[in-house]
Amino acid sequence: MTERQVSGGGDGAGAPEVLAQERRLRRDLGFWGLTGIGFSNIVGSGWLFAALYAAQTAGPAALLSWVGAGLLCGLVALVMIELGASRPEGGGTVRWPLFASGRLVGTLIGWSTLLSVGGTAAEISAIMQYAAHYLPGIYNGHTLTLSGLALATGLSVVLTALNWFAVRMFARLNNLISVFKILVPVITVIALIASGWHSGRLTDHGGFAPYGYVACLTALAGGGIVYSVNGFQAPLDFSGETRNPRRTIPAAVLTGIGLAVLMYLALQVAFLFTVPENLLGHGWQGVSFDSPFGQLALILNLHWLAGLLYADAVISPGGSAYVGVAIDARHTYALAKNGTIPRYFMKVNERFGIPRRALAINLAVIVVFLLPFGGWQDIVSVMGDMYLLIYAASAVAVAVFRAEPGGHTAGWVPGLRWIAPLSFVVASEFVYWSGWQDLRLALPLVLGGLLIFLAMRRPGVRVESDGAGPRRPLGAELRTGAWLVCYLVALTALSGVGTFEGSGLLPAPYDSITVAAMALAVFIWAVRSGVRHLVVSRPAEV
């Protein structure tokens, strides 16, 4: 591996330190380890609810939404695959935007990624809520009780401890959890179909698309489908710990997506064809369960299955939280390399190749999010949505790297000239479809990263090299990264006047079309700014 591939071309004073820590990472992950990481990160608590919400939103046509989500995520994944194969690096999804678009974009994307640590806290909280079925005193219906907080903190410590040692141990344990997470949904599908199949469900009760085919689009966000298949990028954050990343990463990412989509399709079919007829008097929108598959199993007298589902309701989010702790550590490690947080947290343990200081600070952040602040769950879900911004920034990065003179990319993915802009548009639509109620909080929070960027540029503040070339004047950095600020402001404004929980002044489908046109224009602007940035800041080759 060349220094350019690891550091993004930088050879500043801090680049050797970055390289020294990067070389301590152990390249122990193979195809099945990476596939298990991707699959386990995708399949969390979402599979227990998404089939219900998707059916309520689109009826049987929700099957098309799952297929569409798989194709769209596959498209975005191709961009991430190209980056992971050509520029493997621990926490690469945080580093690539910095290299391609400068320090303003790198800081904003890094800040939004740091906020997404709350997503792991959400999974741990979900475990506590499900565990309250057996331990009623740990959850009061709104927040964790004192004993619940203590138990959740203890679980967070255990998950951190399990990530404390070699990545090979982490991968093996995660593979065992992934096997269980596959078996339980498969058993659920077989048991439900064998116990209560009702024919004609694709045409009865309003037809295949009782709420119109536009509802398939709404189901992507409102039905929880995008949330359920999100997380496929997890193997890329371990690209610096992968054997032969150019060959292994593409296969692992696409296999993880394929397995997850097939599983979700099977669960959706089982739900559609086994809901009792008497519950469909008001159509699919009238079907309501607090615990869809668990209650459905009880209605069908499958008490053993209900017990298994309640157990898995703890294990599936637990598996996602386990992977989440590992991913968060790689992100924090990358943020330290970027200089967004102190370099102290970049240190990698020499014996085990694990960024332990990053694990420790993330444990503290997770515990803070678990505290019973009013409305914290809404904020956590908003932060999780903002991880989608990494997909957009990565699409810009791969186009910039391809366009720069003598650009270094793997060339594994053909057709990136059109895949990159299309991926940027798709990522933008995913963010937009999250809805105004989320975006009105999320996007201003991300823009709060501007304060961090400006604080880092104050006179007298010691700035360490991040491996992305020499420091440029503040005005030049603002011009290079202005596209992301304008992009976030435009998305917020369009969400406010659109039909996804907005005012509806811009009706469907013109709102989504406008978002696509805006995104394409911003993409062109971002790539041109990135290429100019690389030409101006490119250091001497080593």
Side-chain angles (χ1 to χ4, degrees):
M1 183 184 299
T2 66
E3 181 169 345
R4 182 178 180 83
Q5 285 175 305
V6 175
S7 70
D11 61 352
E17 181 187 358
V18 170
L19 287 168
Q21 298 301 325
E22 190 73 15
R23 289 179 181 131
R24 290 182 179 179
L25 297 175
R26 303 288 181 85
R27 295 185 175 274
D28 288 334
L29 292 175
F31 169 75
W32 288 113
L34 280 182
T35 300
I37 288 170
F39 181 83
S40 192
N41 198 45
I42 293 172
V43 182
S45 56
W47 82 266
L48 296 163
F49 301 98
L52 167 66
Y53 297 142
Q56 288 176 336
T57 305
L63 294 170
L64 297 180
S65 300
W66 286 110
V67 174
L71 293 175
L72 293 175
C73 287
L75 181 69
V76 175
L78 290 175
V79 167
M80 311 292 282
I81 285 169
E82 178 74 18
L83 289 167
S86 61
R87 294 169 176 257
E89 183 170 358
T93 53
V94 176
R95 295 283 277 170
W96 300 321
L98 169 73
F99 299 149
S101 299
R103 291 174 176 84
L104 174 57
V105 172
T107 301
L108 289 176
I109 295 298
W111 168 242
S112 65
T113 305
L114 188 61
L115 290 178
S116 71
V117 172
T120 301
E123 292 292 337
I124 293 173
S125 177
I127 295 171
M128 294 299 103
Q129 292 179 44
Y130 286 123
H133 179 75
Y134 305 102
L135 302 170
I138 64 175
Y139 190 71
N140 63 15
H142 301 285
T143 58
L144 296 174
T145 63
L146 187 60
S147 58
L149 178 60
L151 186 60
T153 301
L155 178 58
S156 302
V157 172
V158 169
L159 292 173
T160 301
L162 290 173
N163 276 282
W164 199 254
F165 301 100
V167 70
R168 182 179 296 176
M169 173 186 169
F170 160 76
R172 287 174 177 172
L173 182 56
N174 182 64
N175 284 346
L176 291 176
I177 296 173
S178 296
V179 169
F180 187 84
K181 292 172 74 170
I182 292 175
L183 284 177
V184 173
V186 168
I187 292 171
T188 300
V189 169
I190 294 173
L192 290 180
I193 290 178
S195 302
W197 182 270
H198 298 278
S199 60
R201 283 296 172 80
L202 297 183
T203 54
D204 297 342
H205 306 288
F208 182 71
Y211 313 115
Y213 285 95
V214 174
C216 296
L217 190 64
T218 305
L220 288 172
I225 289 177
V226 168
Y227 171 81
S228 298
V229 299
N230 191 27
F232 58 83
Q233 80 294 331
L236 299 170
D237 287 306
F238 291 85
S239 60
E241 298 159 86
T242 301
R243 299 188 300 270
N244 195 354
R246 181 169 181 174
R247 183 183 65 186
T248 306
I249 288 175
V253 172
L254 295 179
T255 300
I257 293 174
L259 287 174
V261 171
L262 285 175
M263 188 195 78
Y264 281 120
L265 275 172
L267 287 165
Q268 188 70 65
V269 168
F271 185 83
L272 290 171
F273 281 92
T274 58
V275 171
E277 193 70 25
N278 65 304
L279 296 180
L280 288 165
H282 299 286
W284 291 103
Q285 289 181 341
V287 179
S288 179
F289 294 113
D290 292 326
S291 177
F293 287 109
Q295 289 178 260
L296 191 54
L298 290 174
I299 290 173
L300 297 174
N301 292 317
L302 299 173
H303 295 276
W304 63 270
L305 179 60
L308 182 62
L309 286 167
Y310 273 110
D312 187 68
V314 173
I315 293 175
S316 282
S320 293
Y322 180 47
V323 174
V325 168
I327 294 172
D328 292 340
R330 273 67 183 178
H331 288 162
T332 302
Y333 162 74
L335 288 172
K337 288 196 292 184
N338 285 2
T340 305
I341 61 176
R343 280 286 170 79
Y344 173 84
F345 298 105
M346 184 179 69
K347 184 175 177 60
V348 176
N349 180 268
E350 292 188 45
R351 180 181 177 186
F352 294 105
I354 297 294
R356 287 182 167 178
R357 292 176 180 176
L359 276 171
I361 189 176
N362 282 341
L363 173 61
V365 173
I366 288 170
V367 172
V368 168
F369 277 115
L370 287 171
L371 294 174
F373 296 128
W376 76 268
Q377 283 184 302
D378 293 334
I379 297 175
V380 165
S381 65
V382 166
M383 293 172 183
D385 287 340
M386 285 305 92
Y387 198 80
L388 292 168
L389 288 175
I390 288 183
Y391 301 156
S394 296
V396 171
V398 78
V400 169
F401 295 148
R402 273 290 182 92
E404 69 165 320
H408 295 267
T409 52
W412 189 90
V413 178
L416 268 181
R417 184 180 297 274
W418 63 268
I419 289 176
L422 186 56
S423 176
F424 186 88
V425 171
V426 168
S428 303
E429 296 287 10
F430 278 6
V431 174
Y432 172 70
W433 294 335
S434 295
W436 169 247
Q437 295 302 317
D438 284 350
L439 295 185
R440 67 189 176 90
L441 297 175
L443 297 184
L445 274 175
V446 175
L447 285 172
L450 276 171
L451 300 178
I452 297 176
F453 173 76
L454 294 174
M456 291 168 60
R457 298 301 299 252
R458 291 199 325 271
V461 175
R462 181 175 179 269
V463 178
E464 299 178 85
S465 173
D466 50 22
R471 294 274 159 173
R472 302 172 64 201
L474 177 59
E477 290 286 1
L478 290 174
R479 287 192 296 273
T480 300
W483 67 266
L484 181 56
V485 176
C486 294
Y487 171 72
L488 294 174
V489 171
L491 268 179
T492 305
L494 288 172
S495 180
V497 299
T499 57
F500 289 82
E501 301 175 347
S503 66
L505 291 176
L506 185 61
Y510 300 107
D511 54 345
S512 294
I513 293 174
T514 303
V515 169
M518 180 274 295
L520 187 58
V522 169
F523 177 82
I524 295 171
W525 175 15
V527 173
R528 290 178 177 174
S529 295
V531 171
R532 286 196 299 268
H533 162 72
L534 289 184
V535 170
V536 172
S537 63
R538 181 188 293 120
E541 295 292 340
V542 294

